[in-house]
Amino acid sequence: MTRQEKRALRLQICRTLDEHCGNCETKKQALKGKSGSAWDAASQNLQTYCNTQCPVGKQLHELASKLIGELIRPEPIEIKPEKKAPVKLMKVVSKPREELTPESYMQDREKGLKEWQIAIQYDISPSGLYSRKKRWREQGLLAENEQRRKKA
């Protein structure tokens, strides 16, 4: 096959992809409203459809076979479910909100608890904890340098 013939086949493949696959309604419907891992799964299913059932996909395989010089047969792709890492659950020991003091806050931070964990422990929101810390600093009950040192 001459260089010009190969070039013509590549251009035909590109044109087919642009004209048909770029505006494909099946593709739009399959991916509509999906994101993240749901989009990935839908994209894999769509790829299987395009390679095995879509007439344009079959035409693209024929063109690619001519270009390479050997028959390309699309093999169905086996979609394996995504393995997710086990979720680490922390033991939540609920304490009354009244027990949250600058001293108890600093003790929890020294134990290695994160801000959001302390908030959960006392059944308040992270922004509520932030407000309390700000008030404690204004009152001089929580030293600003202590707080910054813990973050570093």
Side-chain angles (χ1 to χ4, degrees):
M1 185 176 290
T2 67
R3 193 172 184 187
Q4 280 92 10
E5 290 171 329
K6 286 183 178 182
R7 184 173 190 270
L9 281 173
R10 284 194 303 273
L11 286 172
Q12 189 176 357
I13 290 170
C14 287
R15 257 186 258 116
T16 304
L17 285 169
D18 288 342
E19 292 171 4
H20 297 283
C21 300
N23 300 320
C24 178
E25 285 300 316
T26 305
K27 178 180 174 182
K28 288 177 185 174
Q29 289 299 318
L31 300 177
K32 184 178 181 180
K34 299 206 171 43
S35 63
S37 61
W39 187 91
D40 292 339
S43 180
Q44 285 181 346
N45 288 337
L46 182 65
Q47 184 178 4
T48 301
Y49 167 79
C50 294
N51 286 332
T52 59
Q53 298 173 10
C54 177
V56 176
K58 290 177 182 177
Q59 180 186 0
L60 287 170
H61 279 285
E62 288 174 18
L63 292 171
S65 295
K66 287 179 188 175
L67 184 63
I68 293 175
E70 60 184 60
L71 183 62
I72 297 176
R73 290 195 178 156
E75 295 179 15
I77 300 170
E78 183 182 330
I79 299 172
K80 296 178 182 174
E82 209 176 290
K83 289 185 179 178
K84 294 185 179 181
V87 177
K88 266 186 155 179
L89 298 175
M90 68 175 238
K91 185 177 179 185
V92 177
V93 179
S94 185
K95 297 179 181 177
R97 293 179 186 184
E98 298 78 34
E99 287 186 18
L100 179 59
T101 62
E103 295 80 21
S104 65
Y105 167 77
M106 289 306 294
Q107 288 172 356
D108 288 339
R109 289 296 287 167
E110 287 169 2
K111 290 179 191 173
L113 292 177
K114 293 182 171 57
E115 302 273 326
W116 64 270
Q117 292 171 323
I118 296 171
I120 289 173
Q121 188 175 16
Y122 289 97
D123 195 29
I124 59 173
S125 68
S127 60
L129 178 61
Y130 175 79
S131 299
R132 287 181 188 227
K133 288 177 7 191
K134 183 177 177 184
R135 192 173 5 142
W136 292 336
R137 277 197 286 287
E138 289 170 354
Q139 294 172 352
L141 300 172
L142 185 66
E144 288 187 40
N145 61 355
E146 278 288 316
Q147 185 61 22
R148 288 197 180 97
R149 185 171 57 86
K150 292 293 177 188
K151 286 184 180 179

